[in-house]
Amino acid sequence: MIAMWNGVIVAHSTQTIRVEGYHYFPPEGVDWSALIPSTTTSRCWWKGKATYYHVRAHDAVNHDAAWTYEHPWPLARRITGHVAFWRGVTVEP
């Protein structure tokens, strides 16, 4: 799978984990230089606390377009540290 925004590949992996319709990319498949930490967080009743990132490509920024669960609840432990995308970031095979 490849995650792309604004013509830039921001993540790629053959080992994504699909949860609730989103592909979670393992940390080693993410271009961390394209992500800017955000102060945004959210909570999921079964995954726990999500932290967000802005995605940067070609001097444009897509706010809160990526998220991760650094310390998910036990039911979601398989996505620990993985990153998912939305808000216009395309994810395709």
Side-chain angles (χ1 to χ4, degrees), residues 14-27:
T14 59
Q15 303 296 317
T16 63
I17 300 171
R18 192 169 169 99
V19 177
E20 296 180 328
Y22 295 100
H23 286 273
Y24 284 77
F25 289 79

Side-chain angles (χ1 to χ4, degrees), residues 4-93:
M4 182 178 289
W5 185 71
N6 202 22
V8 175
I9 294 174
V10 294
H12 62 86
S13 177
T14 59
Q15 303 296 317
T16 63
I17 300 171
R18 192 169 169 99
V19 177
E20 296 180 328
Y22 295 100
H23 286 273
Y24 284 77
F25 289 79
E28 62 273 9
V30 176
D31 177 2
W32 292 97
S33 69
L35 302 184
I36 304 165
S38 169
T39 59
T40 303
T41 62
S42 66
R43 292 210 179 266
C44 171
W45 70 271
W46 73 275
K47 291 181 295 231
K49 180 182 175 184
T51 56
Y52 288 77
Y53 292 89
H54 309 309
V55 177
R56 177 180 40 213
H58 297 301
D59 296 325
V61 177
N62 188 345
H63 293 272
D64 295 332
W67 72 94
T68 186
Y69 291 88
E70 295 173 6
H71 305 287
W73 298 125
L75 287 173
R77 68 179 169 260
R78 66 189 182 120
I79 61 168
T80 300
H82 286 55
V83 179
F85 299 91
W86 66 343
R87 295 194 171 162
V89 177
T90 59
V91 177
E92 300 176 349

